[in-house]
Amino acid sequence: MRWNLDPVLLLCVAFAVFASFRMQSEAQPRNALRYAAACAAFLFVSPFCALSSALFTARVVHHVILATVLAPLLAAAFPLLVRRVPLSLSVWTAVQALVFWAWHAPPLYAAALSSDAVFWLMQASITASAAIWWDKLRQVPTAAAVAALLAAMVLMGVLGALITFAGRALYAPHWLTTQPWDMSPLQDQQIAGIIMWAPASAIYLLAAMVLLYRWIGSDEEPQATRA
């Protein structure tokens, strides 16, 4: 039940809330920034932050929320800033998946949980690469966006399956932290892998289905998914 009351972190969240009320843009970016601040408070200030240091399962949920909730909110809050990033949707589909996969490689993951600087690099890179990817999705025809979402679904599912069936505990930071929760490190890892494999992958599938539903239900030729 420990809250993270780091003053720098609290100041950043408070600044985001303040900035959302001072923004002169349309309502959507302002609301998106407020929701992003609330999401960041849950992930980094609430007791969920401490839980994610103890359980790999919670850390995976944390990372999935970064990539599928906080990232699109930031893309909506700062559309012009994100849109200036070059390269195509297909490239960013690969980049955001590579970043997500890389930080779940046991050596990099262990480094992130043993160093504040590396930890925040992990959080920032997962969020930023996913935010750019979500914004690119909004700028392409529906068929391309659906293909990218299905590719992301498959890549997330494959990573989850590899973690689930690894056969041994891979993540050293959690070897001694799962016992108070009546789980072995391997059980914790398997639950985390299943979360990636099923619920996390389903987020991308659901988004693809929503786009297809709107496309099929529209009388107009599909333009950008943002429309």
Side-chain angles (χ1 to χ4, degrees), residues 140-209:
V140 299
T142 302
V146 168
L149 285 163
L150 293 179
M153 177 195 72
V154 171
L155 291 168
M156 179 69 76
V158 170
L159 178 59
L162 290 174
I163 291 173
T164 301
F165 295 110
R168 62 185 180 88
L170 300 173
Y171 299 97
H174 300 290
W175 286 351
L176 301 177
T177 61
T178 61
Q179 285 79 6
W181 302 91
D182 293 326
M183 285 192 292
S184 70
L186 182 57
Q187 289 172 327
D188 178 36
Q189 179 179 303
Q190 288 170 336
I191 295 171
I194 291 171
I195 289 173
M196 277 191 194
W197 192 5
S201 297
I203 294 172
Y204 299 106
L205 177 60
L206 179 61
M209 292 175 65

Side-chain angles (χ1 to χ4, degrees), residues 28-48:
Q28 182 180 354
R30 292 199 306 269
N31 291 337
L33 184 57
R34 291 170 196 167
Y35 293 141
C39 182
F42 170 72
L43 291 175
F44 299 109
V45 179
S46 80
F48 183 75

Side-chain angles (χ1 to χ4, degrees), residues 89 133-152 202-227:
L89 173 61
W133 179 73
W134 282 105
D135 189 73
K136 297 291 183 183
L137 279 176
R138 301 173 65 200
Q139 307 306 314
V140 299
T142 302
V146 168
L149 285 163
L150 293 179
I203 294 172
Y204 299 106
L205 177 60
L206 179 61
M209 292 175 65
V210 170
L211 289 182
L212 284 174
Y213 176 79
R214 291 179 177 176
W215 183 8
I216 294 171
S218 175
D219 293 332
E220 301 178 357
E221 288 294 323
Q223 300 296 324
T225 57
R226 185 184 179 189

Side-chain angles (χ1 to χ4, degrees), residues 5-25:
L5 301 181
D6 181 271
V8 176
L9 179 61
L10 294 177
L11 183 62
C12 291
V13 173
F15 178 78
V17 174
F18 175 76
S20 70
F21 285 98
R22 300 292 296 176
M23 290 175 71
Q24 300 299 317
S25 58

Side-chain angles (χ1 to χ4, degrees), residues 103 108-123:
W103 286 116
L108 280 180
Y109 183 85
L113 265 65
S114 62
S115 165
D116 286 346
V118 181
F119 173 83
W120 285 110
L121 176 61
M122 175 174 68
Q123 306 302 300

